[in-house]
Amino acid sequence: MRIYDRTFSSRMMLGTALYPSPAIMQAAIRAAEPALVTVSLRREQNLSAPRGPGFWDELRALGVAFLPNTAGCHTVKEAVTTARMGRELLGTDLVKLEVIGHADTLQPDVFGLVEAARVLSGEGFRVLPYTTEDLVVAERLVEAGCEVLMPWASPIGSGLGLNNRYGLRSLRAQFPDVTLIVDAGLGRPSHAAEALELGYDGVLLNTAVATSGDPVAMARAFRLAVEAGRLSFEAGAMEPRDMAAPSTPIFGKAVL
């Protein structure tokens, strides 16, 4: 999976919220073997509070790269300020950019998203915007400097899976050279495999792993599903058809 000028062997990103304990979070990350782990930031946060230095030490001990996240930001100013804080605290130009526009569905404010992406790209950030599958919005984000797009599958934390396969398929076809990562709404490993089978470069998830009955086992399940989905895409999975097609040849069968 290519993220700007870096290439990762894993096609999965994993969030760090909602786990029952730090130890389970660590074990789940080890099981997932993700390319990046996302960490949300708040304006008052530093590396010793409020989560405490142990949280950051535990993450660093895993040897996984950080992806700061502007989760929960509702304005351009708030998102840009949070992104700058993330770069200062974590020493990375990567940022997952969220500008939320709807409180119930957590649908992104695509107008503010494009504006914030343009500002941050101009400041040297490498922006991964959480967006919809809208082709026009995608075009504006690419024009703003984004080399990676992160369209949602369905609302954050819903577990509904890929609500608009047509839209996601169209986005993949329209932007063949842009890294596309499905973000939000993946509830089962089969949802992740489905995204990879559509030709997407990767997935980002959190809730489906962290709130499952066994986060470690679920993290491994998602890892295997991502690998299977990509292998299926590369192998050329058969297209569905309306009629049955016999797998056994008619020629040479016994005739009474």
Side-chain angles (χ1 to χ4, degrees), residues 87-98:
R87 179 162 65 179
E88 180 178 346
L89 291 177
L90 300 176
T92 177
D93 290 330
L94 290 174
V95 60
K96 182 194 170 190
L97 178 63
E98 291 187 24

Side-chain angles (χ1 to χ4, degrees), residues 120-140:
L120 292 172
S121 294
E123 295 182 6
F125 281 90
R126 299 175 179 189
V127 181
L128 289 75
Y130 162 64
T131 182
T132 66
E133 69 276 20
D134 187 283
L135 296 177
V136 177
V137 174
E139 186 66 44
R140 297 294 182 271

Side-chain angles (χ1 to χ4, degrees), residues 153-242:
S154 51
I156 293 171
S158 68
L160 292 172
L162 278 60
N163 274 355
N164 186 359
R165 284 178 56 88
Y166 169 79
L168 291 171
R169 191 188 298 274
S170 298
L171 188 66
R172 177 72 284 176
Q174 187 71 25
F175 298 93
D177 300 322
V178 175
T179 298
L180 299 180
I181 299 168
V182 170
D183 175 24
L186 301 178
R188 299 176 182 272
S190 57
H191 297 158
E194 190 176 8
L196 272 291
E197 286 180 334
L198 289 177
Y200 275 72
D201 297 280
V203 295
L204 190 154
L205 55 132
N206 187 172
T207 306
V209 170
T211 64
S212 68
D214 187 339
V216 178
M218 188 61 73
R220 182 170 181 268
F222 267 99
R223 175 173 61 81
L224 295 174
V226 167
E227 293 174 3
R230 183 63 186 187
L231 284 173
S232 174
F233 170 73
E234 292 175 345
M238 69 173 288
E239 293 295 328
R241 41 195 178 198
D242 295 329

